[in-house]
Amino acid sequence: MSRLLRRGGPATVVPVVLVAVLLAVALAGCGLISSSGTLRSAHLPDGDKPLDGAAITVTSKAFTEQVVLGKIAATYLAAAGADIKDMTGAPGAASSRQAQLRGETDLQWEYTGTGWVVYHERTDPISDPTELWNKVRDIEAAENDLIWLPPSSLNNTYAFAASQETANRLGVTTLSDVAALPVDQRTFCIDDEFFSRSDGFLPMLEAYGIPFDTADGVPQSNVTRMDSGVIYTATAKGSPCNFGMVFSTDGRIPNLDLKVLDDDRKYFLPYSGSVVVRKPVLDENPQIAELMETVSSKLNDDVMRDLNGRVDIEGEDPADVAFDWLVSEKLIVPN
């Protein structure tokens, strides 16, 4: 699937529960359908129901992280008293986006980089997450009546990683450290899309002062192109590359004990996770903002890697993963 179409999402393995959703949508012919997986019943710790009687339709894209985030939102808002219609797992970015623009769904998680590059076709490089969110927020409110709530710390963007052994052996923690290595140690595994993107591999090398296809930079022989899913295992083995392209919230990062290198020159565009709500719904239920900001404040890259890994690697149901996390954070109490 195209990185732009699924953007902000990692190239995750699609679990069986999501395959069922996709097949059901295909059979339906058009439109969105309710997600598989049952939301488990819970209440807020203080027993309050600030959204009592509010009807809210929650949607998401179909890749793992999006479904988990959608289930977190749906479960938490239901615990707050809302009557939730669960439409998580829409196939592709376009389905969930268009459904919300048409007023068929009310709330979903999105990524600031997606709003900037994909939905509004902006090309200005903005490295500051808050600045990017401000710009996307203002455009979306003015043009689409969509409110982007303050983003979480999770940033599902491109990154480079190395095995812990490789990082320790070479003494690297940042991409600038990679630029300072001897030529024979600057070996990379990337996929074809990242190699050819205007915001991909070659401009990244340029940003870090590393010439491509030169004897003193990164010779073509130092770059191995492969499927994005294979990059993780190749990077963990340190063969045929020391450094592999990854998606920063992918569950395989901790599972394979990879070290994500700091993008210290802030080359990669932020893809901060933000809850997007239709303005009429938020106006009628302003409590949504405070509730979802409570959730956002507890999310970051490490949390998302763990949650994504529980689905993609351990095979758990996204609804169960979302419920267990909310319980563990003491945001909800099981009924």
Side-chain angles (χ1 to χ4, degrees):
M1 183 183 297
S2 167
R3 178 70 171 168
L4 284 176
L5 289 178
R6 67 168 188 271
R7 190 68 190 94
T12 50
V13 178
V14 180
V16 172
V17 66
L18 298 188
V19 172
V21 173
L22 297 177
L23 290 175
V25 170
L27 292 173
C30 62
L32 301 181
I33 64 170
S34 295
S35 168
S36 63
T38 303
L39 295 180
R40 293 162 61 183
S41 180
H43 58 273
L44 299 185
D46 60 5
D48 193 16
K49 292 187 176 182
L51 294 176
D52 192 27
I56 301 172
T57 301
V58 177
T59 190
S60 78
K61 303 165 196 175
F63 61 85
T64 298
E65 179 170 295
Q66 275 277 298
V67 176
V68 170
L69 289 172
K71 298 294 187 185
I72 286 173
T75 302
Y76 190 50
L77 296 178
D83 179 13
I84 294 294
K85 188 174 184 180
D86 180 7
M87 307 289 278
T88 51
S95 296
S96 59
R97 169 73 172 178
Q98 291 305 312
Q100 192 173 36
L101 290 174
R102 290 192 299 264
E104 297 169 1
T105 62
D106 303 315
L107 180 148
Q108 67 175 315
W109 283 85
E110 262 297 359
Y111 303 91
T112 52
T114 305
W116 189 243
V117 174
V118 181
Y119 298 151
H120 295 285
E121 300 180 340
R122 304 301 176 93
T123 58
D124 308 9
I126 300 176
S127 61
D128 181 76
T130 302
E131 180 185 355
L132 182 60
W133 170 68
N134 283 332
K135 289 182 179 294
V136 172
R137 178 200 60 189
D138 293 348
I139 295 171
E140 287 280 84
E143 296 185 7
N144 295 317
D145 232 14
L146 295 178
I147 305 302
W148 286 56
L149 299 180
S152 68
S153 295
L154 80 88
N155 178 27
N156 186 352
T157 190
Y158 283 111
F160 273 87
S163 70
Q164 291 288 347
E165 187 279 328
T166 296
N168 292 338
R169 173 173 56 84
L170 297 176
V172 296
T173 60
T174 70
L175 288 177
S176 290
D177 291 337
V178 174
L181 289 173
V183 172
D184 65 335
Q185 297 299 321
R186 298 181 199 147
T187 54
F188 300 89
C189 289
I190 60 175
D191 66 12
D192 286 333
E193 181 182 346
F194 185 67
F195 182 84
S196 60
R197 283 176 67 106
S198 61
D199 60 349
F201 185 63
L202 300 184
M204 186 206 76
L205 292 180
E206 183 178 351
Y208 279 91
I210 313 172
F212 177 66
D213 197 21
T214 66
D216 62 345
V218 175
Q220 289 201 36
S221 58
N222 282 25
V223 180
T224 303
R225 295 198 235 177
M226 58 179 63
D227 182 81
S228 60
V230 182
I231 292 174
Y232 290 81
T233 52
T235 304
K237 294 176 182 176
S239 176
C241 57
N242 286 327
F243 308 104
M245 178 210 80
V246 298
F247 302 123
S248 56
T249 57
D250 197 293
R252 286 168 290 189
I253 291 171
N255 180 257
L256 294 170
D257 198 26
L258 301 180
K259 179 177 179 58
V260 177
L261 303 177
D262 180 31
D263 174 22
D264 53 310
R265 295 193 181 181
K266 307 302 179 188
Y267 168 75
F268 292 115
L269 187 72
Y271 281 81
S272 305
S274 175
V275 174
V276 182
V277 192
R278 290 198 304 115
K279 187 176 185 299
V281 174
L282 189 60
D283 287 346
E284 188 172 344
N285 305 283
Q287 304 92 336
I288 291 173
E290 183 178 352
L291 288 164
M292 294 314 303
E293 286 173 33
T294 298
V295 171
S296 293
S297 69
K298 296 180 179 295
L299 292 170
N300 55 46
D301 288 358
D302 287 336
V303 169
M304 284 314 311
R305 288 167 190 161
D306 177 63
L307 299 181
N308 289 334
R310 287 179 58 183
V311 176
D312 287 333
I313 297 166
E314 299 175 24
E316 296 184 47
D317 188 294
D320 291 337
V321 171
F323 184 89
D324 292 346
W325 179 76
L326 288 166
V327 171
S328 72
E329 292 294 329
K330 297 181 172 54
L331 295 178
I332 62 172
V333 177
N335 285 339

